[in-house]
Each structure stands twice: as C-alpha cells, then as structure tokens.
Amino acid sequence: MIQELENALNAALEKLKLELPSGFRAQVDAAADLRFGDYQANTAMVLAKRLGMNPRQLATQIIEAIDLGELAEADIAGPGFINFRITKIAWCQKLAELLGDDRLGVALAEPVQTIVVDFSAPNVAKPMHVGHIRSTIIGESLARIAGFLGHQVIKDNHIGDWGTQFGMIIHGWKTLLDQDALDADPVAELLRVYRSVNSLCGENDDIRDICKKELVKLQGGDQENLEIWSKCVELSKAGLQGIYDRLDVSFDYWYGESFYNDRLAPLVDKMIANDAARESDGAICVFFDDDEKLADKPTIVRKADGGFLYATTDLATIDFRVEKWGADQIWYVVGAPQQLHFQQIFAATRKRGLNPEMQHISFGSILGEDRKLMKTRSGDNVQLVDVLEEAVERASKVIEEKNPDMPVTERASIAEIVGIGAVKFAELSQHRMTDYVFNWDRMLALQGDTAPYLQYSSVRVNSIFRKLENGVELDAGRLKITEDGEVHLARMIVRFGEVVPSLLDDFRPNLLANYLLDLAKAFHSFFEACPVLKSEGETQNTRLVLCELTSRVLVKGLELLGIEAPERM
Ligand code: ARG
C-alpha cells in the first residue's frame, strides 16, 4: 500500500511541475491516528517550507492532482498533512494478492548482502550467562529476518575456546576432576572444576602460578595439555548443542577463537609492516590518532611477552570472514559492556583498509524482580538451562489448569513450545537496549503481551478451520469487506509487508513482536464482532480469508522471532 501511495503521490508532484530538490521522493507512513486515515504523508509541509509556499494550499493542489483510482481517498488535516483512507475495494484486492503470495507481501531486499551474524559465542567451561542468552535469542531472530529478506546469511558461533581460563581448567582437570561426574554431566563438572580452581587462585598465589604455567604449556603446544583442552572443548560443544537444539537455534560454523591461532602472528607482523600498528613499551599497539573518541584509547594486539589478545583474534576473524566468505556485513550481537572493544576493532579494521559494514548490535541487562542484575538465590549468575527448565515447568502447570484433560505427553510437548516461546518473546518484545525485568508470571500469561497469547491466538484461528465440517475452498475472487472489524484486520495483515523490511534499520525484532500483538488484538476484536462460522456466502468466504491470512502471518512472524506456534494449546 505504501509503495502504491508513494507512486501516486510522486506522480502528482511531477504533474504539478514544482521545482523539487534534486532526488526528492515523497514518502508515506502508516497513520499515527487511525481515526484520520490509514496512511499519511507530510510531503506538503516539507516541500512548502523549501518552496516558500503555504502548506495547506500545496496539499490542496496535490490532492487535486493525485490520481488514486480506487486505491484510496485523500484529505487534508491540520497544518497540511495528507491523509489517505484505503477503500474497501482496495483492501480486498490486497487480500486476494496476499492469498497467493508465500512471502505475505514482504519484498526481497536489494541489494542482497552477505551477512555474517556473530552471536551467542559463550566461553568453554564457563557458564553461559544471561548476556549469552540475550545474544543467542536476538541473534537467531535477526539472522532469520535477514534470511527471509533474501540476504545470504552466515551464522558463526565465535566461542571462547582459547582463553586464559584454560590454565585453570587444565590444572583443575589434572587435580580435581571427578570422572563419574564428568560422564554424567560434563558441562556441570567442567564448571565445578573451573569455579573451584578460580576460587583457589583468589586465595593462593602458588596455584595462580601453576595455572599460568599450564596455560603457557598449552600455548606452546604441549601434547597432554592440548589433549585436555580439546576434550574440554568437545564436551562443552556437545553440551551447548543440546541447549541450541532445544532453543531451535543453529549455526553454519563454530569457528571459535582457537581457529585463528595460527593467523595471529602473521597478522600482527603485517600490521607492523603496513604501519597499522607500532611498538609501545614492548607491546604492539594500534593507535587511533585521527579518531576523536579513540585518540587516547589505543588497543594492544601483541603483549610485551608475545601473547595475543581477544582483539587480535577478532581482527584475524574479520580478515577471514571477508576473504573466505566475501562478507559485506558483519553483525556482532554482544552486550553493551564490549562497546569499546568493538569501536576499537572496527577502527583498526578501517585503518587496515578493509571496509565491511560492521555493526555492534548491543543490548542491556536482564534484571531480577529487585531490579538488580539477575542472580540465583546463591548469588551465582543464572544459567540458561535452569531458566528454560523452569519456563517449561511453569508452562506445563498453566496448561494443566486450563486444560486438565490433555494427555500428559501432549502437554509436555506443548509446554516446551510455550515455555521456551515465552522466554524468547519476553526478550524480543523489549527494545534491546533497555534493561528488562524478568517476571515469570507476566511472561507466561495467556492474556497480555506474551508469546502464549500469540500462540493461543494462532491456535484459536486454526480451530475455526477445524470446525468447518466440509472443509473450505477459499475464493480470492469473491471478497467483500463491510465491517470495521474486517477493515482493521485487513489493515493489520497488510502491515506485515511494511514492518518486516524496517526491522533491520536499527536491528529491532521488538517492532515485529509488537506488531504481532497488534495483529492478534485486531483478530480477537474482529472475531468478537464478526461471526465467521455462522456467516454465509461471500461474507463467510471473506472472513475465512482474513482468518487464513492472520494465521499465516502469525506463524511466519513467530518463526522470524524463533518461536513455534503449536497446533493445540
Ligand atoms: N566469548 C565472548 C564473551 O563471552 C563473546 C564473543 C563475541 N564475538 C566476538 N567476535 N568477539 O564475552
């Protein structure tokens, strides 16, 4: 609709032979207040100012010149807004089009970009904390959205499999490991070992030295340590895979930090040779003298003792992604505390003459009910697995209350879909930069801005079709809208095609989440005001088409958020 209105509007401007600023194109937006129209344009106000004209007069001229055919009616409001009211005929035509369009009105992006999405990226043998949860959920959703828009998306899990923590883990493996516990739950045992040694190191300098030596041995290629390391990585990956399967999250690659080990030394040498880095107090640093914000914040790429850093690995990773994958864009879905790190590696990359579009897609924290960083009762960071377990358990209880007769196995599989959907939606319906308060009851409520509400809405739409005794043949050629409830639902369905492409402007899946809530609300009001099963003929056909499209959009929209829609609930 926006496209068609913009075309008509721009044709009218041409007809008026105004002296438009070069490259000017009038734009149409969804109306802020639906009482005045479906769409609006502030073109007259923008242009009048530049052309020294009266905005209302210009708007009048535009309205007289514009040829909207049967698409819409236009009128003027306030200081010169042009409001468009889409005709019922045009809504029906659009619905007919959407019925035959498996993209549901979402145009493919242009140009197509190769986009590497770097997300999740937890650290081996360390717990996956809330920051990783957010990254995993937001990253997966953004990757799905970009893929649906037609981009070439590469999902890469840059796990921390080569950090200083391995000194401690190896020492712990050699001295504290409980083999039975490791067989039973490797991730938990690795974590226990890491935590024990970590706290020993806090108390005892000798142990800290031993750990350091183990790390140096590992870095020097010691066989035994390499084997322990590789086992830890393997076990951690298997544990992570279990969580990702449950979350329906997947990766094309798991090129963790260790993958780049051999590339670090040559990279730093090259940077020195190209004057991208230079020595300072024995260390090799990148200075950003021409960058106002970073002028006093150089980044070290090789320490005086020869060791490389997180930043060095990230620079080598960018080279690889650009050279091997032809990345046009790299998106880092990583918490706000790493902002400076990314500013530095982006600046260093530009300094080296590479120019992929790099985005740090950051996010705030998850808070407990006390508005402090979410912790467990014992004060530890909350673990993702525990959050998922509890969500599913609680969802199961809610389902049992509402639907005591449902067989237990069915309940279990629906509880999984609902519980995990609720956690994801609570995350994705917030602006990513806000710190959000984790509240179980709120996120699992059937009435409210929640995943269960959307899932329930989709179940409810589908149940209409189940109740139709003789099945249905939807007829796109026989549509007639009369009621306000129908108009509003049509309007919301059509909006899907307008919302999805805008999600990547600022990487905001929450706009999709909120849109889906509006769609579901429009559906429920429609369903209350406009009987479907009791209607007949053209009216019933039209209402069923509205239901069908609502269902398709809900399912697709949820899928883009990484949330499943159950058959029953
Ligand atoms: N492993 C890091 C952490 O847990 C996140 C890595 C993000 N990706 C990157 N390319 N630096 O903080």
Side-chain angles (χ1 to χ4, degrees):
M1 291 295 186
I2 289 190
Q3 204 61 53
E4 286 169 43
L5 290 169
E6 283 181 354
N7 291 344
L9 186 55
N10 284 289
L13 292 177
E14 217 165 284
K15 209 150 87 187
L16 290 173
K17 301 210 163 36
L18 301 165
E19 269 180 53
L20 301 179
S22 80
F24 180 85
R25 219 184 122 72
Q27 282 179 1
V28 171
D29 294 302
D33 186 337
L34 292 175
R35 282 175 304 173
F36 305 123
D38 300 301
Y39 295 94
Q40 65 186 36
N42 61 3
T43 315
M45 283 134 77
V46 174
L47 278 181
K49 206 171 195 179
R50 298 209 201 168
L51 301 174
M53 294 172 73
N54 171 308
R56 273 193 78 98
Q57 256 165 21
L58 178 56
T60 312
Q61 288 182 22
I62 295 176
I63 287 198
E64 278 163 11
I66 199 166
D67 177 10
L68 290 167
E70 290 195 314
L71 176 62
E73 275 145 28
D75 58 30
I76 304 169
F81 278 108
I82 301 176
N83 289 325
F84 300 100
R85 169 83 60 203
I86 303 295
T87 65
K88 295 194 165 89
I89 294 176
W91 285 128
C92 289
Q93 279 166 355
K94 199 79 198 171
L95 293 177
E97 242 173 69
L98 291 179
L99 202 58
D101 175 9
D102 56 10
R103 299 195 50 78
L104 294 164
V106 179
L108 288 166
E110 233 187 305
V112 171
Q113 298 273 287
T114 296
I115 303 170
V116 177
V117 188
D118 179 322
F119 70 107
S120 195
N123 302 313
V124 169
K126 285 195 189 170
M128 190 165 177
H129 58 68
V130 202
H132 297 119
I133 303 181
R134 296 202 80 172
S135 170
T136 306
I137 294 173
I138 298 173
E140 173 70 23
S141 174
L142 290 174
R144 288 181 183 215
I145 292 164
F148 183 56
L149 287 169
H151 293 297
Q152 182 75 36
V153 176
I154 299 173
K155 300 196 274 181
D156 189 11
N157 195 4
H158 190 77
I159 54 170
D161 60 358
W162 194 260
T164 45
Q165 81 259 37
F166 281 100
M168 288 186 254
I169 297 162
I170 290 173
H171 174 61
W173 182 285
K174 289 179 179 172
T175 55
L176 298 172
L177 193 70
D178 174 343
Q179 189 63 48
D180 291 340
L182 189 76
D183 295 341
D185 185 349
V187 174
E189 175 59 7
L190 285 180
L191 189 58
R192 183 192 69 83
V193 165
Y194 167 75
R195 282 204 177 124
S196 317
V197 181
N198 194 20
S199 75
L200 287 177
C201 282
E203 296 152 13
N204 188 329
D205 287 349
D206 294 344
I207 301 220
R208 213 176 312 144
D209 280 345
I210 296 175
C211 293
K212 228 181 242 159
K213 285 196 186 111
E214 294 290 12
L215 182 66
V216 172
K217 268 168 75 185
L218 172 71
Q219 289 165 337
D222 175 84
Q223 202 54 39
E224 188 191 5
N225 282 10
L226 269 177
E227 262 163 40
I228 296 176
W229 165 77
S230 129
K231 240 185 230 135
C232 291
V233 172
E234 215 177 285
L235 290 169
S236 278
K237 277 188 178 173
L240 287 170
Q241 187 61 55
I243 299 180
Y244 293 138
D245 288 345
R246 230 177 143 179
L247 285 172
D248 198 11
V249 164
S250 65
F251 295 93
D252 300 299
Y253 299 96
W254 291 59
Y255 288 162
E257 293 177 19
S258 70
F259 178 80
Y260 299 95
N261 280 351
D262 296 341
R263 297 166 192 264
L264 305 182
L267 170 74
V268 173
D269 290 342
K270 198 160 116 194
M271 288 175 71
I272 299 171
N274 296 340
D275 282 334
R278 65 174 197 269
E279 198 249 83
S280 169
D281 285 333
I284 303 298
C285 306
V286 184
F287 289 91
F288 309 104
D289 300 328
D290 342 320
D291 188 319
E292 217 177 283
K293 270 188 282 174
L294 297 176
D296 57 345
K297 296 189 181 71
T299 191
I300 303 180
V301 289
R302 194 172 77 204
K303 291 188 283 186
D305 68 8
F308 300 107
L309 299 101
Y310 183 50
T312 327
T313 308
D314 259 326
L315 293 178
T317 307
I318 293 173
D319 278 17
F320 180 85
R321 289 170 174 171
V322 171
E323 275 165 28
K324 289 285 186 318
W325 293 337
D328 301 307
Q329 301 191 19
I330 306 177
W331 298 352
Y332 296 89
V333 188
V334 185
Q338 293 192 33
Q339 189 185 15
L340 176 61
H341 166 75
F342 285 110
Q343 283 173 351
Q344 289 172 322
I345 66 161
F346 294 173
T349 300
R350 284 190 292 268
K351 199 165 169 175
R352 300 180 53 228
L354 286 175
N355 234 336
E357 192 183 317
M358 295 166 286
Q359 300 280 356
H360 176 203
I361 302 173
S362 75
F363 46 80
S365 319
I366 305 184
L367 308 178
E369 305 267 1
D370 55 359
R371 300 203 64 88
K372 298 211 177 93
L373 282 187
M374 196 162 90
K375 300 268 176 192
T376 61
R377 242 174 262 128
S378 58
D380 288 329
N381 283 325
V382 174
Q383 292 224 50
L384 178 52
V385 215
D386 300 334
V387 173
L388 298 183
E389 280 302 326
E390 183 155 356
V392 172
E393 217 169 277
R394 285 173 182 255
S396 175
K397 278 200 194 107
V398 175
I399 297 170
E400 194 181 0
E401 267 164 38
K402 302 259 173 223
N403 205 343
D405 301 329
M406 186 183 279
V408 179
T409 45
E410 186 176 3
R411 195 205 308 149
S413 78
I414 294 175
E416 182 82 14
I417 296 175
V418 172
I420 289 181
V423 172
K424 289 187 172 183
F425 193 83
E427 166 69 59
L428 292 170
S429 55
Q430 306 290 322
H431 188 296
R432 59 185 164 79
M433 289 316 289
T434 43
D435 295 342
Y436 80 88
V437 177
F438 201 88
N439 178 309
W440 287 113
D441 294 332
R442 218 182 307 135
M443 82 171 68
L444 284 162
L446 278 181
Q447 294 300 331
D449 293 349
T450 63
Y453 171 67
L454 291 176
Q455 290 167 322
Y456 168 68
S457 305
S458 121
V459 167
R460 193 156 169 208
V461 186
N462 292 337
S463 75
I464 298 170
F465 288 95
R466 268 201 297 274
K467 285 192 195 121
L468 282 168
E469 273 149 26
N470 307 319
V472 256
E473 194 77 39
L474 297 176
D475 186 351
R478 239 168 32 117
L479 298 176
K480 189 168 173 219
I481 278 182
T482 51
E483 305 298 311
D484 286 350
E486 296 167 333
V487 172
H488 186 53
L489 184 54
R491 178 193 285 133
M492 292 315 300
I493 290 169
V494 169
R495 199 164 284 178
F496 186 62
E498 298 160 5
V499 169
V500 176
S502 75
L503 301 174
L504 297 184
D505 293 347
D506 190 31
F507 308 102
R508 287 182 53 183
N510 65 310
L511 297 178
L512 175 58
N514 292 327
Y515 157 77
L516 292 175
L517 292 169
D518 288 343
L519 173 67
K521 282 171 200 155
F523 170 74
H524 289 289
S525 335
F526 153 83
F527 196 59
E528 244 151 64
C530 309
V532 179
L533 294 169
K534 291 208 181 85
S535 61
E536 287 171 348
E538 200 173 41
T539 305
Q540 184 176 60
N541 179 61
T542 305
R543 291 181 181 171
L544 285 172
V545 166
L546 284 165
C547 292
E548 169 68 18
L549 288 171
T550 302
S551 161
R552 286 193 210 167
V553 171
L554 276 175
V555 171
K556 188 74 206 172
L558 283 169
E559 182 193 316
L560 293 179
L561 295 176
I563 298 174
E564 221 183 303
E567 285 294 312
R568 284 194 349 128
M569 234 170 115

